[in-house]
Amino acid sequence: MITVVGANILHEFDVSGPIVARTGHVVTSPELRERDISFDHSYDAIFDGPLERALDTVVDDLVERSTQGGLLYLLPGDGVPGDLTVEALSARADITLIPGTLHPGMSGLGRADVVDALEIALAENQGAFGRGLCPIDSTVPRIVTNWYGESVVSLATRRLMLVYNANEAEVRSWESDGRLFIPPVDPLEGPGSVAALEHIVARLRRPDGCPWDREQTRESLLPQFIEELGELGDAIKASDVPNQREELGDVLFHVVVQCQLAAEANDFTFEDVLREITAKLVRRHPHVFGDVQVDTYDDVLATWNRVKAEEKATLGQPENS
C-alpha cells in the first residue's frame, strides 16, 4: 500500500515506514523541519534530466518499493489535485490519497484548471506530436503545480510562453512556492485559443454586437465558407505557408460561427461537434486506440471501411452516406 500525502499536512497523522519524496524541495515544509522528518529517496535527478521515460521510471520505482511494505509518497505543499505521478500510480498500485486543504488561490478551480508542470513538459517534449496532449485554455485562471526540476521547468516554460504570448521572465514571475498562479487572459487582449475565438464569435452575434454578423444565417455564410476553403486549397498547392496559416484561420472562423448559429437554433454546439469527431476518430482507429492489429496501409483502409459500415448499419444509413 502506498499512502500519498502533501508535506504541509503531515501533522495530521503519524509517520512510519519509508518516505519517498517526489522532490527534495519538500524539505522547505515547516512541518518537516519542526518534526525533523527526512525522506529516504527523491526523484529530482529524474526531473532534471531527459524526460522520455520519467513518468514510467517514477511509477515503476514506487511500485517496486511498495512490494517491500507500506510506503509514504510525499508530495510538495498540500498534495494538490492534478499530480501526474499520482494519476499514473493509481492505475498500477493500491494507494491511499490524503487530501489536503487547497490553497486559497485554488478555490473554485476544477481539475482541468490545475495542471502538473510535468504534464506540460512531457507534452512539449514531443513537439508537434505532443501539443494536443495537454491543451491549455488561457481564458481561465490556472495553477501549475510541481514547478521543480530543470528539464520540467525549461520545457513547461517554453510551452507557457507560447500559450500566453509571454517572455521567460514573465512566466517565471508567476511562480510562488513551487507553483505557478496564472491569471486568465482577456480573449480580446490575448486571443490564441479556440475558447477565445468562440467568445469573440458569440460576442459578434449578441444584440449589441456587429449588425452584419447578427444578420447572417448558416445559408448566407455558405458561399464565403466555400470560397475560404478554395483559398486554403490554393495556398496549400502553392506551398504558401503564411497564407495557409491565414486561410486556416478563416476556415476555423466559419466552423465556429456555423456552430454558434446552430447553438442559437438549439440544434447542436461546437462541443457536440468536437465530441462526435473525436469519438469517430477513436472508433475508426482501433489499431491505435484499441487492440486491433494492422500491418499495411491496405489493412488500415479495410479497418476504417469495416468500422464505418458497422456505424452506418447501426444508424440504418446506406454505406455511402
Side-chain angles (χ1 to χ4, degrees):
M1 172 64 71
I2 302 174
T3 300
V4 182
V5 64
N8 289 348
I9 56 174
L10 279 178
H11 63 279
E12 296 183 7
F13 61 98
D14 293 330
V15 176
S16 62
I19 300 176
V20 176
R22 170 164 171 159
T23 171
H25 290 272
V26 296
V27 299
T28 61
S29 166
E31 289 295 332
L32 288 177
R33 291 199 302 268
E34 290 174 10
R35 298 176 63 183
D36 194 27
I37 295 175
S38 60
F39 49 85
D40 300 274
H41 182 71
S42 76
Y43 297 112
D44 287 299
I46 292 175
F47 300 128
D48 284 337
L51 296 180
E52 282 76 8
R53 295 201 71 256
L55 189 59
D56 289 338
T57 300
V58 169
V59 173
D60 288 347
D61 186 70
L62 285 167
V63 171
E64 174 62 27
R65 289 173 183 271
S66 70
T67 61
Q68 303 169 23
L71 175 70
L72 190 148
Y73 181 38
L74 194 60
L75 302 178
D78 301 321
V80 295
D83 189 289
L84 192 62
T85 62
V86 174
E87 291 186 6
L89 183 62
S90 65
R92 295 271 308 277
D94 291 329
I95 67 172
T96 298
L97 180 61
I98 308 298
T101 302
L102 295 181
H103 187 282
M106 299 177 70
S107 177
L109 292 180
R111 165 65 184 89
D113 308 321
V114 181
V115 61
D116 193 323
L118 176 61
E119 186 172 357
I120 302 174
L122 289 174
E124 181 65 18
N125 198 41
Q126 296 189 44
F129 295 105
R131 293 290 168 82
L133 297 178
C134 185
I136 298 175
D137 181 0
S138 62
T139 63
V140 299
R142 185 169 306 279
I143 289 182
V144 180
T145 62
N146 296 309
W147 195 253
Y148 303 109
E150 182 178 341
S151 295
V152 170
V153 170
S154 176
L155 286 164
T157 296
R158 189 168 71 191
R159 176 61 176 156
L160 294 175
M161 287 170 61
L162 179 64
V163 171
Y164 290 93
N165 193 27
N167 58 43
E168 182 175 353
E170 288 178 291
V171 173
R172 302 292 179 122
S173 72
W174 297 331
E175 190 269 337
S176 175
D177 193 26
R179 302 185 188 125
L180 297 191
F181 297 84
I182 310 177
V185 175
D186 187 323
L188 300 182
E189 294 181 1
S193 69
V194 173
L197 181 57
E198 286 185 278
H199 170 88
I200 291 169
V201 168
R203 180 67 182 83
L204 292 173
R205 289 282 303 170
R206 274 172 38 175
D208 59 344
C210 172
W212 185 89
D213 287 280
R214 290 203 315 270
E215 291 187 7
Q216 300 311 306
T217 66
R218 282 180 267 186
E219 292 77 11
S220 70
L221 287 171
L222 186 56
Q224 294 180 41
F225 197 174
I226 295 172
E227 180 181 351
E228 296 296 354
L229 287 168
E231 292 177 357
L232 173 60
D234 292 340
I236 292 174
K237 292 175 183 177
S239 299
D240 185 344
V241 174
N243 210 25
Q244 289 174 28
R245 183 175 61 241
E246 179 182 351
E247 297 302 338
L248 279 168
D250 292 339
V251 169
L252 182 57
F253 163 76
H254 276 277
V255 170
V256 172
V257 77
Q258 287 286 341
C259 290
Q260 172 67 27
L261 291 164
E264 292 172 12
N266 293 317
D267 289 338
F268 57 83
T269 67
F270 184 62
E271 288 70 25
D272 292 329
V273 172
L274 292 177
R275 274 191 291 270
E276 187 159 326
I277 185 58
T278 52
K280 178 189 290 186
L281 289 172
V282 171
R283 286 195 310 269
R284 295 192 183 180
H285 291 83
H287 52 290
V288 176
F289 303 105
D291 55 7
V292 172
Q293 180 67 39
V294 298
D295 298 312
T296 67
Y297 176 90
D298 290 337
D299 289 343
V300 173
L301 290 181
T303 299
W304 176 282
N305 290 328
R306 174 181 58 78
V307 175
K308 180 179 179 180
E310 292 171 354
E311 293 171 356
K312 299 300 182 183
T314 300
L315 296 173
Q317 299 175 347
E319 291 188 19
N320 60 353
S321 65

